Amino acid sequence: MKSVVNMLAPELALHAWVLRHAGDALLARAAASAARAEREGHACAWLGEEGMDAAQFAALRASSWVTTDVADAPFVLDAAGRFYLRRNAAAEQAVAAAVQARAAASIIAVQGQAALLETLLPGAASAEQRHALAAAFGRRLFVLTGGPGTGKTTSLLALLLGLLRLHRECGWSGLPRIALAAPTGKAAARLQQALRLGLEQVRARLGGAAEWQATLQHMPPLVASTLHRLLGARLHRRGAALPADIVAVDEASMVDLGLMHALLQALRPDSLLILLGDPDQLASVEAGSVLADIVAAATPGSALAGCSGRLTHSHRAQAGLLPLLAAARTGDAEALLDAAVLADSAASVSGTAPLFLRRASRDAAGLRAALHVWLRRHADVYVRLLQPGIAPAEALQLLGRAQLLCALRSGPFGQVAINRAVEAWLRQQHAIPAGFWYPGRVVMITHNDADSGLANGDVGVALQGHNGLEVWFDAQDAAGLPVPRALLPHYLPEHEPACAITIHKSQGSEYEHVAVLLPPDADSPVLSRELLYTALSRARRSVELWAGEDALRVALSRPVRRAGGLRERLGSR
């Protein structure tokens, strides 16, 4: 097992506490391993992989502090050798039971959904969506997965409209109440915007049809919130069940084990939970990989398979990116390298950017040159934000045009250093006032803040206004219409520069053009297939990959499998 000297402060504190109160050095080390595993995103620790032998396992199982199932003991050691902190074992058990119960619930026979879906999603290109959605009617759980551009949000809107039309057939006496959520503020805003745009298009197409007028008229405002905001005190198992008949959660791959536990506990038994996401993306920052585990457990013939659908056909205009994503998803390094246009910074200063460009930036000089090429190529974004008189709506729209994504937060290739380099270039090239704040500065909120109404991941831009410098964010009015709002800088919750952000923070967002910075060190532990796939899938039109071949190959060779027993628990029935 790993030595105490390799532990961080939380693990050291737990190690010391257990040692002091239980007087058991082996148990203290196992507890610290479980805490470290949780910090790294695992639900439990695999003690066998850390060198524990059969005698040590037996000694742990004999401890009064350890149980084989969730009970009053603070630690759980199951038959497979997974060692849990009690809260993670309890959450895993509860999530598995709730998901299984919803999947196995009696199906209400519904008639007429095929014709409705044909009207809402017409044409051969939408056949896959119609087939997937047919499984959602009359159930209490529906999981829809797919990569970027496969139409998950369009499918969700069609499903919601279909459920409104057939609400009595689905078991609701009145029009169902709908709650929409996502793990981050940015993802929630994108979900809301996409649904509202889609609804406008449906109204333009079907609003004149008498049979659809009542449904479209009674469609509630499509307002999405963060999951934390939706659950409120229910995050801590307090309060009544959510007053919603349908709860739809986008970007479900980002939902950790504890948050999914709270969500499932907050639902009414007769409500419908809809989960949308891409299981090939990075899992949640916190412990667990719930969506990936649910999808893996949905084997043919299982109850979970019956309430799951996967979309594979992309509806994006830029189909050229699809082979890149397929190669990243499957770990095909040769296909990804063959698709890339390899260019040094000097050769690509001018001209139109290719669809997929790879720059082998291995040192500070190469990185700086590549960064300057990127900034000049996208000066229509970076420089336009600095111009006086730019409207807030235009400035916020520009933020979706180009984005630098970093695998690391610190170090020369990390987010902090890249933001400093971007700002240094802007100050050198343009007359930017001294000081932290200036018109055009882009920031990201780093913590949820109820007082300001801002959430972790919200991105804003500073602009000069009537009240001096103001920071503008995307927001909506009471009817859900987009209305940017401003806060004075000193009223902002914790924030950081956001010309460059980490790949983890980019989840739930999309950009026209993306540059992905991988560390040049192929031994970097951050490299993984999911990290690279997530980064590449943020781009809608073109992507630059700043990575050496060794780092690229290592990333694609490392699929992440988080330690935990949820997948096995879900497949146990």
Side-chain angles (χ1 to χ4, degrees), residues 185-197:
K186 186 70 172 177
R190 282 191 61 243
L191 172 64
Q192 179 172 306
Q193 182 181 25
L195 288 174
R196 288 189 60 84
L197 178 60

Side-chain angles (χ1 to χ4, degrees), residues 99-378:
V99 169
Q100 285 178 318
R102 287 185 170 275
S106 298
I107 303 170
I108 300 173
V110 178
Q111 302 295 325
Q113 69 266 44
L116 285 180
L117 293 175
E118 183 73 44
T119 301
L120 291 165
L121 298 166
S126 300
E128 182 184 57
Q129 293 168 283
R130 296 194 298 271
H131 176 75
L133 294 181
F137 290 82
R139 293 186 180 270
R140 294 297 169 251
L141 174 69
F142 181 61
V143 182
L144 184 64
T145 61
T150 53
K152 295 187 295 295
T153 309
T154 302
S155 298
L156 174 62
L157 177 61
L159 177 57
L160 294 177
L161 286 167
L163 291 170
L164 285 176
R165 277 288 299 271
L166 300 175
H167 65 274
R168 288 188 176 83
E169 292 85 343
C170 291
W172 294 302
S173 58
L175 288 173
R177 293 162 294 181
I178 299 171
L180 305 170
T184 68
K186 186 70 172 177
R190 282 191 61 243
L191 172 64
Q192 179 172 306
Q193 182 181 25
L195 288 174
R196 288 189 60 84
L197 178 60
L199 185 58
E200 289 176 8
Q201 294 170 345
V202 170
R203 282 193 169 119
R205 186 164 56 88
L206 300 177
E211 66 271 22
W212 280 100
Q213 288 177 0
T215 300
L216 293 171
Q217 180 181 353
H218 290 104
M219 186 68 171
L222 296 173
V223 179
S225 70
T226 64
L227 260 177
H228 286 82
R229 192 174 298 160
L230 174 68
L231 293 174
R234 300 176 187 88
L235 279 169
H236 308 288
R237 321 291 187 266
R238 296 195 303 269
L242 282 171
D245 303 291
I246 302 170
V247 177
V249 180
D250 196 16
E251 299 291 348
S253 64
M254 301 167 63
V255 181
D256 61 77
L257 185 61
L259 189 55
M260 185 63 76
H261 181 201
L263 171 63
L264 288 164
Q265 294 296 307
L267 298 177
R268 296 203 325 266
D270 62 343
S271 64
L272 167 62
L273 173 62
I274 303 171
L275 300 176
L276 299 95
D278 185 348
D280 296 309
Q281 285 188 27
L282 283 167
S284 59
V285 175
E286 305 297 332
S289 52
V290 180
L291 181 66
D293 289 339
I294 291 174
V295 172
T299 53
S302 67
L304 275 173
C307 54
S308 302
R310 181 170 180 85
L311 304 177
T312 59
H313 174 72
S314 178
H315 299 268
R316 279 187 178 173
Q318 185 49 276
L321 291 174
L322 298 181
L324 309 180
L325 300 182
R329 185 185 298 113
T330 59
D332 191 341
E334 302 305 326
L336 203 58
L337 288 166
D338 289 345
V341 176
L342 184 60
D344 59 38
S345 57
S348 57
V349 170
S350 60
T352 303
L355 183 72
F356 180 36
L357 179 72
R358 185 171 71 85
R359 302 183 188 277
S361 302
R362 298 181 178 274
D363 53 30
L367 177 61
R368 184 169 56 252
L371 182 59
H372 290 176
V373 170
W374 170 268
L375 292 170
R376 287 194 290 271
R377 187 183 298 282
H378 298 287

